[in-house]
Amino acid sequence: MGKTGNHGAHLVWDWNGTLLDDITAVIGATNAAFAEAGVAPLTIERYRDLYCVPIPLFYERLMGRRPSDAEWEVMDAAFHRYYTERRTGCGLTAGVEELLRDWQLAGRSQSLLSMYGHEELVPVVRGYGIESRFLRVDGRTGPSGGSKARHMERHLAALEGADPRRTVVIGDAVDDAVAAAHVGAHAVLYTGGSHSRASLEAVGVPVVDTLADAVQEALRLAS
């Protein structure tokens, strides 16, 4: 259990598509899984226009119907298999190491919450050499495909002294803003991941093109 500091904003970072620059791997894995199900491949632009959670709804938008439970299990397993193959070639988003370091050195606190499976997430984050920057690293527990809101609730509850009014969630998906609102926190959304700028702007929270800008917005929101 971590304890937040007394120096203003607490950041809750998303992983995939935010700290980890993996959108190419995600789309490649998605298209490989879709090929097994006879679904046409996606461009990055179409992926970003249609992406949403829960993921079965995203698949429904693409297939024209809701996948059956059996289809979902097969496609989800295929996606994770192909993604694991591709993730090893992904790097952190430009400037991440410096942003995390400078935030920590300023005496502020930060944590990481992802919908990537917890048992897979922790060693991956450790492998990029940034685990020590976070009070907590929490991945998804339970089945994939759901929303982040309840996970965010548990994540903040585990952080001693976390004030939602001084907490800012930085992520690349509409669901990050939904999860932030669920706990009474702020959100800043980054355009380098899963969503188009238009879909992010429709949420009504700040939208930025760099993580450096996201940190500046977080300071403003939490002041």
Side-chain angles (χ1 to χ4, degrees):
M1 182 177 291
K3 186 172 183 179
T4 56
N6 298 313
H7 296 84
H10 175 77
L11 298 183
V12 178
W13 292 95
D14 173 57
W15 179 242
N16 301 100
T18 304
L19 292 179
L20 183 66
D21 183 13
D22 66 347
I23 187 63
T24 300
V26 167
I27 292 172
T30 299
N31 283 335
F34 283 174
E36 291 191 5
V39 179
L42 294 167
T43 63
I44 187 170
E45 293 80 13
R46 182 161 171 77
Y47 180 97
R48 284 173 164 161
D49 283 342
L50 295 177
Y51 181 79
C52 64
V53 296
I55 301 298
L57 179 57
F58 172 49
Y59 286 5
E60 180 179 351
R61 290 181 173 185
L62 296 166
M63 300 170 67
R65 61 177 177 80
R66 191 83 166 194
S68 68
D69 290 345
E71 286 175 320
W72 158 248
E73 289 180 9
V74 169
M75 294 173 75
D76 185 53
F79 168 81
H80 286 289
R81 184 172 71 253
Y82 288 118
Y83 175 78
T84 299
E85 294 173 358
R86 290 163 168 77
R87 185 204 54 76
T88 55
C90 298
L92 298 174
T93 301
V96 160
E97 292 98 333
E98 294 79 8
L99 289 171
L100 297 178
R101 179 199 65 204
D102 292 350
W103 189 267
Q104 186 182 45
L105 289 176
R108 304 185 183 100
S109 58
Q110 56 196 333
S111 55
L112 194 160
L113 177 64
S114 173
M115 293 299 282
Y116 195 45
H118 183 76
E119 297 302 319
E120 295 81 19
L121 175 69
V122 172
V124 168
V125 173
R126 185 174 299 140
Y128 284 99
I130 57 173
E131 183 185 21
S132 64
R133 302 298 185 192
F134 306 109
L135 294 181
R136 291 186 66 86
V137 174
D138 286 334
R140 170 187 49 78
T141 56
S144 62
S147 172
K148 204 172 194 174
R150 291 298 176 87
H151 294 285
M152 183 69 71
E153 191 177 315
R154 290 192 292 269
H155 182 72
L156 284 193
L159 292 167
E160 295 181 19
D163 180 355
R165 297 168 299 179
R166 308 293 304 277
T167 297
V168 183
V169 178
I170 298 178
D172 68 312
V174 169
D175 195 44
D176 291 305
V178 172
H182 178 72
V183 297
H186 303 280
V188 179
L189 297 180
Y190 165 61
T191 60
S194 59
H195 282 276
S196 67
R197 172 174 273 277
S199 61
L200 294 178
E201 288 178 339
V203 182
V205 302
V207 176
V208 297
D209 295 321
T210 71
L211 293 183
D213 287 343
V215 170
Q216 291 304 309
E217 279 294 323
L219 285 170
R220 181 185 66 81
L221 289 168
S223 63

